Amino acid sequence: MPDQANFYIIQRKALPEVFLKVVQAKQYLEKEKAMTVQEAVEAVGISRSSFYKYKDTIFPFYENSRGRAITLGMRIDDEPGLLSLLLNCIAKYQANILTIHQTIPINGVADITFSIEVLPTTGDVQDMVNHLIETEGVHQVKILARE
């Protein structure tokens, strides 16, 4: 059966460098660090043809998430106050929590699934995920789905 997926989530470290440079050039253009495509591609060290070939096919995960729900899976220590810290982090980025599911902790570790609505006022989703990952007591954060 042929693969029907149109989108994949892949970790940054697995991407070829050209894709990362295309994203960087797009950011330069958006933030007006470069006024033209030529200036942007020269700044990041790729050709115009590479930029045009990939510009509509690669974008940061969070860029296409506004107004959508994302599901995060987390493995955390079973410690008082840790869930509250995570909820406060999500609130700090002004994302709307739709659902929370936590398993019964086994050996002091619980699995949690958050469904989060990304609103127009939500801050940088990648920064939010990074903040969650860096929280003491959090072992793992995975993006399970985007709706």
Side-chain angles (χ1 to χ4, degrees):
M1 184 165 111
D3 187 359
Q4 297 296 317
N6 288 326
F7 297 96
Y8 297 90
I9 295 177
I10 185 168
Q11 289 185 352
R12 178 187 181 109
K13 65 184 177 185
L15 284 173
E17 188 176 357
V18 68
F19 292 125
L20 299 174
K21 288 185 174 188
V22 167
V23 170
Q24 189 178 10
K26 288 171 58 174
Q27 290 170 341
Y28 280 0
L29 291 166
E30 288 173 14
K31 295 178 182 176
E32 296 185 28
K33 291 182 181 176
M35 297 303 289
T36 67
V37 171
Q38 186 63 39
E39 290 173 341
V41 298
E42 285 176 358
V44 299
I46 59 172
S47 67
R48 285 172 47 100
S49 62
S50 292
F51 177 79
Y52 284 113
K53 181 176 182 179
Y54 298 119
K55 75 176 182 73
D56 294 327
T57 61
I58 180 94
F59 49 87
F61 154 74
Y62 58 84
E63 186 177 296
N64 208 25
S65 296
R66 301 273 186 243
R68 295 184 172 203
I70 59 172
T71 303
L72 300 176
M74 303 178 71
R75 179 159 286 173
I76 67 168
D77 288 336
D78 180 31
E79 294 182 7
L82 183 53
L83 179 58
S84 177
L85 282 174
L86 300 175
L87 294 172
N88 285 328
C89 175
I90 293 167
K92 174 184 166 189
Y93 285 89
Q94 299 182 0
N96 185 35
I97 296 173
L98 301 172
T99 65
I100 302 173
H101 174 74
Q102 180 176 337
T103 63
I104 295 173
I106 299 174
N107 297 325
V109 177
D111 290 319
I112 296 180
T113 304
F114 291 110
S115 292
I116 301 169
E117 182 181 18
V118 180
L119 304 169
T121 57
T122 300
D124 187 321
V125 175
Q126 187 61 58
D127 284 348
M128 179 183 72
V129 171
N130 289 341
H131 191 171
L132 293 169
I133 290 169
E134 293 166 1
T135 303
E136 188 174 334
V138 174
H139 298 277
Q140 183 179 50
V141 177
K142 288 185 176 180
I143 299 165
L144 302 176
R146 248 180 59 192
E147 300 167 16

